[in-house]
Amino acid sequence: MRSHIVAGVALVFFGFSGQALSKVTTAEAERLDEDLTPVGAERAGNRSGSIPAWTGGLTTPPEGWRKGQVEIDPFPEDQALFVITSDNLDLYRDKLSDGHIAMLEKYGPDFFMPVYQTRRTAAFPEHVYDKFRENALTAELLDNGNGVRDTIMTSPFPIPKDGLEVIWNHILRYRGEEISLRSASATPQKDGSYNPVVNDYDYFFAYSQKGAELAEIDNKIFYLKTDTIAPSSLAGTITLVHETLDQVRSPRLAWRYDSGSRRLRRSPNLAYETDLPNSSSLRSVDQKDMYNGAPNQYDWELKGKRELFVPYNAYKLHGPEVEADDVIRPGHINQELTRYELHRVWVVEAKRRTGISHIYDRRVFYVDEDSWQILASEEYDADGNLWRVSEAHNISYYSEPVFWTTMEMTYDLKAERYYIDGLDDGFPAYDFSPGFRGGEFTASAARRAARR
């Protein structure tokens, strides 16, 4: 079995013609312990001091939090420094994305952006930092851009040279080794009415397992099983995904079971521009987690870095007392619960390749320098018009030091509706150590679970 896996991965990662790209020199990699942080961000703050220096991130939970509890706000005394509105946005235009400008102009004064003190909280375990340093010296992006090699556990390119490397950093960023959680999504009507869809999510990150080797993970990034709990009309629906590193030569594997047919079927089209299930056609599959899947439908350009006001440290949205009714409003979420901070972000533009069919002709991503998490994005239609604006509201988790989304949404400027995911609604804290063994993520295991 082991020799079969090794041979298969060798084909995927070493069987391409053409020269591999990337890697940095030893001198460049040494910067990760000098002027750059271990993940590749600028260690120093900005000249004005509005972005502070990185001093290790949030590594100690706040007093009063206990393991097994939902994360509490580590900065309860923080007050907004100022609020950006449709009336004063010109004062801040140079530090706003086009998407946020459009939201302010369309939905103001109800849509506003409370800006808080910048706190660079992103932090990861020390063994993950070690892998960043190793990946910097070995990781290579294959010439077709659809695969990487000689990388493991976390982002491959802490010192990126192009936009495709930045996107791979997001796709492969460290999110723990496994996680189990319950969360709800919704697609509110224009009047704010909604019917939540509640799902249980189980992730096993094969790529990020401590001690894992690339040749042993069978080209898998992670395994995901979702089980729909509510509403009753959807209850019992199970989706199983095997997420692959190179999805062109070894496509994503997906299965879906619905209680109506009582059969587990392959879902070969669960990718790219396909409507995300239960999103009312307001979001595509490749927008889940802000961007996922093979990058082969776009040409990627790194536009550089910008200082932008972006969602960050969203503990008010994540709080154990916050319910869906507190969050959902007509047109957009309750901005009273949001927190924006000034951070440096990598700006990546994706342009649809000639001859490729996709609902988005152009996309712009804003990627956090401290975590490689996409914080915001813009999606444009075939006529070049801004169509949708997406946000990821993130926190630093405590039981496992990771910086990850707690809530994300896509605003459709044409439909004047939005899709939101991450409504906790009193659900238990995320479990970063559920003890999965891997066998829970086979098609036969999903079939057995469906019959129970």
Side-chain angles (χ1 to χ4, degrees):
M1 176 65 178
R2 178 184 174 90
S3 61
H4 172 74
I5 293 174
V6 171
V9 174
L11 174 65
V12 171
F13 289 95
F14 302 102
F16 298 111
S17 61
Q19 185 175 357
L21 309 174
S22 224
K23 285 200 285 192
V24 300
T25 66
T26 301
E28 287 177 302
E30 288 175 353
R31 295 182 61 200
L32 299 176
D33 291 311
E34 298 170 353
D35 63 304
L36 300 180
T37 72
V39 310
E42 296 175 48
R43 194 177 291 264
N46 62 2
R47 288 187 178 182
S48 69
S50 52
I51 297 177
W54 184 80
T55 56
L58 182 62
T59 56
T60 303
E63 187 176 349
W65 178 83
R66 298 291 180 268
K67 190 168 185 179
Q69 296 178 339
V70 174
E71 284 73 13
I72 60 176
D73 192 346
F75 314 115
E77 304 303 319
D78 280 8
Q79 300 293 320
L81 302 175
F82 53 89
V83 178
I84 304 173
T85 69
S86 54
D87 291 331
N88 67 7
L89 74 86
D90 283 339
L91 296 175
Y92 308 102
R93 190 176 289 269
D94 64 327
K95 289 185 169 53
L96 290 169
S97 67
D98 289 345
H100 280 134
I101 291 172
M103 291 293 293
L104 288 161
E105 291 177 338
K106 183 175 182 65
Y107 292 110
D110 291 334
F111 185 91
F112 52 87
M113 298 171 62
V115 176
Y116 290 75
Q117 175 184 347
T118 298
R119 296 188 181 273
R120 297 178 68 179
T121 49
F124 299 94
E126 192 59 42
H127 71 274
V128 176
Y129 290 144
D130 291 340
K131 287 301 180 183
F132 270 108
R133 298 180 183 100
E134 294 175 18
N135 288 348
L137 291 170
T138 62
E140 294 182 324
L141 179 69
L142 298 175
D143 58 355
N144 62 11
N146 296 318
V148 293
R149 68 184 185 191
D150 296 332
T151 177
I152 200 69
M153 187 172 288
T154 188
S155 303
F157 309 112
I159 306 176
K161 296 180 173 63
D162 58 40
L164 196 51
E165 291 182 6
V166 172
I167 290 301
W168 273 111
N169 282 347
H170 167 80
I171 293 171
L172 296 178
R173 71 199 188 284
Y174 183 77
R175 288 165 281 177
E177 296 187 36
E178 56 182 355
I179 184 172
S180 183
L181 63 99
R182 176 168 290 186
S183 180
S185 65
T187 55
Q189 301 295 327
K190 287 186 179 182
D191 62 3
S193 60
Y194 67 96
N195 293 305
V197 177
V198 181
N199 285 292
D200 284 339
Y201 294 86
D202 293 333
Y203 284 94
F204 182 83
F205 293 97
Y207 174 82
S208 296
Q209 295 294 304
K210 189 180 293 186
E213 298 291 339
L214 191 64
E216 298 174 344
I217 64 173
D218 194 24
N219 189 35
K220 301 299 192 299
I221 303 174
F222 62 77
Y223 301 87
L224 166 64
K225 185 180 74 172
T226 69
D227 190 351
T228 302
I229 306 303
S232 57
S233 59
L234 297 174
T237 301
I238 291 177
T239 301
L240 177 66
V241 176
H242 293 183
E243 186 75 348
T244 54
L245 268 162
D246 187 328
Q247 294 194 5
V248 173
R249 288 187 172 243
S250 180
R252 167 187 292 155
L253 299 175
W255 297 261
R256 190 170 177 85
Y257 174 93
D258 67 84
S259 55
S261 67
R262 302 184 63 82
R263 292 183 60 188
L264 183 72
R265 293 189 173 95
R266 284 287 303 272
S267 298
N269 297 321
L270 196 66
Y272 298 122
E273 66 174 349
T274 304
D275 287 345
L276 185 69
N278 304 316
S279 71
S280 299
S281 299
L282 295 171
R283 206 180 207 206
S284 59
V285 166
D286 64 7
Q287 286 181 277
K288 178 72 174 177
D289 195 35
M290 299 300 284
Y291 184 81
N292 71 84
N296 62 315
Q297 294 192 323
Y298 291 92
D299 292 317
W300 303 84
E301 181 181 357
L302 183 59
K303 309 292 284 190
K305 269 189 183 179
R306 286 183 64 186
E307 294 182 4
L308 284 185
F309 296 118
V310 287
Y312 224 89
N313 292 316
Y315 291 94
K316 287 184 180 180
L317 282 170
H318 181 76
E321 73 287 348
V322 175
E323 298 182 355
D325 284 348
D326 300 318
V327 176
I328 291 176
R329 296 290 183 271
H332 54 79
I333 68 169
N334 180 4
Q335 290 296 109
E336 292 280 359
L337 297 174
T338 63
R339 176 177 177 136
Y340 295 84
E341 299 178 1
L342 186 66
H343 286 263
R344 287 182 293 242
V345 296
W346 295 95
V347 182
V348 177
E349 182 181 64
K351 292 183 177 180
R352 182 168 51 86
R353 289 181 172 175
T354 301
I356 294 294
S357 174
H358 198 291
I359 59 172
Y360 301 134
D361 186 67
R362 184 168 73 94
R363 306 163 82 160
V364 180
F365 299 92
Y366 303 96
V367 187
D368 180 29
E369 69 166 349
D370 284 332
S371 64
W372 299 111
Q373 166 73 50
I374 296 173
L375 301 174
S377 67
E378 297 145 8
E379 292 80 35
Y380 293 80
D381 65 19
D383 295 322
N385 299 313
L386 180 59
W387 180 6
R388 291 172 176 167
V389 179
S390 300
E391 287 186 330
H393 295 261
N394 307 269
I395 66 167
S396 290
Y397 289 85
Y398 301 149
S399 57
E400 173 74 9
V402 297
F403 184 83
W404 197 17
T405 55
T406 179
M407 193 174 293
E408 58 183 61
M409 65 282 300
T410 293
Y411 296 110
D412 190 312
L413 300 179
K414 297 178 184 179
E416 298 183 341
R417 294 180 60 196
Y418 62 101
Y419 169 87
I420 181 170
D421 194 13
L423 296 162
D424 296 334
D425 223 7
F427 300 143
Y430 295 5
D431 184 356
F432 283 90
S433 54
F436 296 136
R437 296 182 299 277
E440 297 94 333
F441 298 93
T442 64
S444 58
R447 194 175 290 110
R448 288 193 300 271
R451 291 170 179 166
R452 287 200 293 267

